[in-house]
Amino acid sequence: MAKITAEYIWIDGQRPTSKLRSKTKILDGPVKKLSDIPEWGYDGSSTSQASGHFSDLLLRPGRFVADPLHRENDILVLCEVLNPDGSVHWSNTRAQLREVAEKYKDHDPWFGIEQEYTFFEGNRPLGWPDHGFPAPQGGYYCGVGADEVFGRDVVEAHADACVRAGIHIVGTNAEVMPGQWEFQVGAVGAPDIADELWLARWLLYRIGEEFEVSATLYPKPVKGDWNGAGAHTNFSTKAMRQEGGMKIIEEAMRKLEKRHDEHIKVYGAHNEERLTGLHETAPIHQFRWGISDRGASVRIPMATANLGYGYFEDRRPAANMDPYQVCSILIETVCGDY
Ligand code: ADP
Ligand code: MN
Ligand code: MN
Ligand code: MN
């Protein structure tokens, strides 16, 4: 037995947008399975999850991965928050996704999430001048060169860490606004996709500490003629991925249109600043889908339309959305009877 460190990570109760928290436990290792990892507790009154008089909350390990930043056998442990009696805490959205995913498991839903974010140094986006603005958007997306691209060393360290942790990261790119980036996770099922996205976010912030750069998921970090940050959520069921899948996808569009407002409610705070109808978005109060249309609420990729089966891309979720909630409602709407 050797000592290992386990970083217990959980999601707090801040509103309108919850935040990641973590603390470190020293354990006897190596840990082989989830049940080897003990439950733990913390002060919920310091995380907007309990009052000071009745503050103890429980951390139940839900998923663990290798800690890519420390020694061999060290781990990151993503936890669910429970009340002292073991019941699900109101802020625990993972429990709901677990239930929904179980109920509709025969549909075999897959998700791929494109997480956009913006690096900040002090109070301005990384690489922006002390005064005024950089040259207008146009050359930055997937750009190269020290005059166009800011923070690539952080992006590469993050992608490398995700791979070593066993997170299904599948790509990264520089975005339309300078200092803004994206990584993609998936396609995997639920709740795994959402666990991995939260862990990847945690790693992004943690690695940012090393570079003295912060990352924000705010959906419209700079007002004006600058792109906002989204979390496009790509979705498919088994039936969509097979011959004739396009019919099922069109059926899904009808259901998504019906429940547009309910979806927007859980697609992230301040999303109205981003979903304006400009900058590759559709207006927040409209639902529109289209093939290869980046101004639509939902886009059917060209390859899916050509093949006649595949997946769709929900472009509405903001970068700061909770993937447990977004995945839950997508499964419910598309696989349920609406
Ligand atoms: P975009 O062209 O919108 O920038 P990206 O390449 O950034 O697209 O992201 C596409 C995402 O779609 C990836 O996360 C990928 O894993 C996911 N994806 C691919 N196929 C499927 C599928 N059948 N079901 C769900 N997600 C999928
Ligand atoms: Mn993308
Ligand atoms: Mn993007
Ligand atoms: Mn996209």
Side-chain angles (χ1 to χ4, degrees):
M1 287 249 177
K3 295 291 179 191
I4 63 158
T5 66
E7 190 71 13
Y8 280 58
I9 299 169
W10 73 97
I11 295 151
D12 75 7
Q14 280 199 11
R15 292 297 174 265
T17 304
S18 34
K19 237 169 67 68
L20 283 160
R21 308 274 180 154
S22 75
K23 61 176 183 167
T24 313
K25 193 171 183 62
I26 316 292
L27 296 176
D28 290 322
V31 159
K32 296 238 160 54
K33 52 188 190 307
L34 197 60
S35 56
D36 292 341
I37 309 170
E39 291 186 348
W40 205 11
Y42 69 99
D43 166 19
S45 72
S46 299
T47 60
S48 313
Q49 284 167 309
S51 76
H53 302 291
F54 204 71
S55 61
D56 282 354
L57 291 177
L58 215 60
L59 292 174
R60 176 168 295 166
R63 168 91 187 256
F64 76 100
V65 297
D67 177 349
L69 306 179
H70 295 99
R71 291 165 305 184
E72 206 183 333
N73 294 330
D74 287 349
I75 53 174
L76 307 178
V77 186
L78 185 67
C79 298
E80 279 190 30
V81 174
L82 304 178
N83 295 309
D85 65 1
S87 58
V88 172
H89 188 263
W90 61 262
S91 64
N92 177 351
T93 49
R94 184 178 189 269
Q96 185 207 352
L97 177 57
R98 270 197 288 109
E99 265 177 40
V100 173
E102 176 62 28
K103 179 170 174 192
Y104 293 106
K105 64 171 186 276
D106 293 346
H107 294 253
D108 197 17
W110 292 358
F111 294 89
I113 300 180
E114 305 166 51
Q115 176 70 67
E116 293 178 341
Y117 60 92
T118 311
F119 284 133
F120 269 73
E121 200 173 34
N123 60 3
R124 59 199 159 83
L126 185 65
W128 285 43
D130 287 339
H131 302 285
F133 293 89
Q137 292 184 162
Y140 304 110
Y141 170 74
C142 297
V144 62
D147 54 338
E148 289 190 345
V149 162
F150 311 102
R152 196 191 296 276
D153 46 356
V154 196
V155 172
E156 290 181 354
H158 174 252
D160 183 54
C162 286
V163 169
R164 281 182 290 123
I167 290 168
H168 293 90
I169 186 168
V170 289
T172 68
N173 60 268
E175 270 301 340
V176 174
M177 183 182 106
Q180 203 165 79
W181 292 84
E182 168 180 316
F183 65 84
Q184 303 105 30
V185 183
V188 296
D192 301 28
I193 182 69
D195 290 343
E196 293 188 19
L197 192 72
W198 277 115
L199 285 164
R201 286 172 174 180
W202 189 88
L203 280 168
L204 181 66
Y205 300 138
R206 176 64 187 83
I207 288 165
E209 291 176 10
E210 312 284 327
F211 291 86
E212 295 184 39
V213 165
S214 65
T216 177
L217 304 185
Y218 196 88
K220 191 76 177 184
V222 186
K223 313 264 175 271
D225 204 11
W226 302 96
N227 273 34
H232 298 167
T233 302
N234 300 272
F235 180 84
S236 64
T237 60
K238 191 167 61 186
M240 292 178 189
R241 295 188 292 269
Q242 293 169 355
E243 203 72 38
M246 198 59 198
K247 240 182 79 77
I248 314 291
I249 291 175
E250 284 175 19
E251 178 81 351
M253 296 306 108
R254 196 186 52 71
K255 294 176 172 183
L256 287 174
E257 175 160 27
K258 259 188 169 167
R259 300 196 78 209
H260 176 69
D261 295 346
E262 281 136 291
H263 280 249
I264 289 294
K265 272 185 206 140
V266 293
Y267 277 11
H270 316 294
N271 205 10
E272 70 285 352
E273 295 175 26
R274 163 181 169 260
L275 294 182
T276 57
L278 301 172
H279 305 112
E280 304 175 46
T281 70
I284 193 161
H285 296 299
Q286 282 176 25
F287 180 89
R288 205 171 69 229
W289 66 276
I291 292 161
S292 203
D293 182 357
R294 287 174 194 269
S297 320
V298 176
R299 162 180 152 256
I300 316 283
M302 187 57 84
T304 294
N306 288 344
L307 282 168
Y309 56 88
Y311 65 98
F312 66 80
E313 176 196 45
D314 192 341
R315 302 176 60 81
R316 297 170 295 174
N320 60 353
M321 58 76 155
D322 170 6
Y324 293 130
Q325 290 179 280
V326 169
C327 294
S328 291
I329 197 167
L330 273 168
I331 296 175
E332 271 178 349
T333 301
V334 173
C335 302
D337 296 321
Y338 286 99

